[in-house]
Every structure is written in C-alpha cells, then in structure tokens.
Amino acid sequence: MGKTRYLLAGAALAGSLSVLTAGITVAPAAHASAAATAGWAGWGAKHHFGPYFSQGHESFARESYFKGYWYKAGGKYYFAGDLVDRHRNDRDYSYVWFKWYDRFGKFHKSYYKTFGHKHFNPFPFKRDFDVRVCEGDTPTSGCGGWHDVF
C-alpha cells in the first residue's frame, strides 16, 4: 500500500506542476494581451465621415471627393483622410479645405490639392473640424458646401 501512496502523491505532484507550468506559460501571453488591451483602451473608436464631393462642372459633377475619420487617443483628437480626383485627365486640381482649432485654441484654415490621390496622416486638432471639397483651376472653384465633421 506504500507504493500506491507514492504513486498517487507523485501523480498529484506531477499534475500540479503541469498546471503550474501551464499557468506560467499562459500568464505572460495573458498579461501581454491585457497590456495590449489597456494600450488600446485610450483610443476611441474611429468616426468615419464622407465622402464629401466637389460641385464640379455640370458635365463632371462630383468628380472630386474627400472621406476620412477622426478619433480620440491620449486625451487628444486626431483627424485623417483621403482626397481623390476621379477625373484625372481634365487638368483641373481637386482641392480640400480644412478649418479647425488646434490644442492652443488657434484657428487654422488651409487647403491642399492633387491631380490624383492625397492621403492625410493623422494630425491633432482640438475642436470644430470642417471640410470642403473643390475642383477646378483655382482653390475656390467648383466647391461643394462646408461639412462639420467634428
């Protein structure tokens, strides 16, 4: 009966070691997953908008558009998106206008242009982000309306 006790004790010890070993193996992965989740917890969901179109010429209406998104990360708001010229061979630029306030409360208004596609990497803003899309020879020709995206 002594050998049976030793076998049972050995089996119990081996079982507890395998559980302990599995726990040690799983713990770092679980910890990493929890850390990754905690890292993303500061990020808000992406809020997509658009596409917003240019007014364009009568026969080429809606040939330029902008679509994008904003999100919150680390207590700041960020904006990103894409300007696309769908009628690339007409020698007219596609323009996108932005109006926003930065983190210091300073107002900004600027435009960008392309003959094809222009991507905007995320950049910070504080409040009141507006977008307008135009198409033509000048930055103010063929404009659609202003869109309040934030």
Side-chain angles (χ1 to χ4, degrees), residues 26-42:
V26 172
H31 179 68
S33 177
T37 304
W40 281 98

Side-chain angles (χ1 to χ4, degrees), residues 17-69:
L17 284 176
S18 68
V19 169
L20 180 62
T21 304
I24 291 171
T25 304
V26 172
H31 179 68
S33 177
T37 304
W40 281 98
W43 291 62
K46 288 183 181 177
H47 300 275
H48 294 269
F49 59 85
Y52 298 128
F53 294 93
S54 62
Q55 191 65 25
H57 308 291
E58 189 64 33
S59 61
F60 300 113
R62 300 170 56 107
E63 66 183 67
S64 302
Y65 71 89
F66 185 87
K67 66 180 181 175
Y69 60 90

Side-chain angles (χ1 to χ4, degrees), residues 66-127:
F66 185 87
K67 66 180 181 175
Y69 60 90
W70 63 266
Y71 61 92
K72 185 176 181 180
K76 296 179 183 177
Y77 292 100
Y78 293 89
F79 167 86
D82 294 280
L83 173 63
V84 178
D85 185 342
R86 300 187 315 170
H87 195 252
R88 297 179 184 166
N89 61 356
D90 66 355
R91 305 298 303 157
D92 286 337
Y93 281 103
S94 293
Y95 299 89
V96 63
W97 285 85
F98 300 138
K99 295 190 301 186
W100 77 97
Y101 289 89
D102 66 17
R103 63 187 176 115
F104 302 108
K106 183 178 177 186
F107 177 76
H108 297 270
K109 183 177 182 180
S110 60
Y111 70 87
Y112 301 88
K113 66 183 181 179
T114 186
F115 273 135
H117 175 255
K118 183 166 182 68
H119 175 73
F120 296 87
N121 289 323
F123 64 90
F125 71 97
K126 181 157 182 140
R127 68 179 204 277

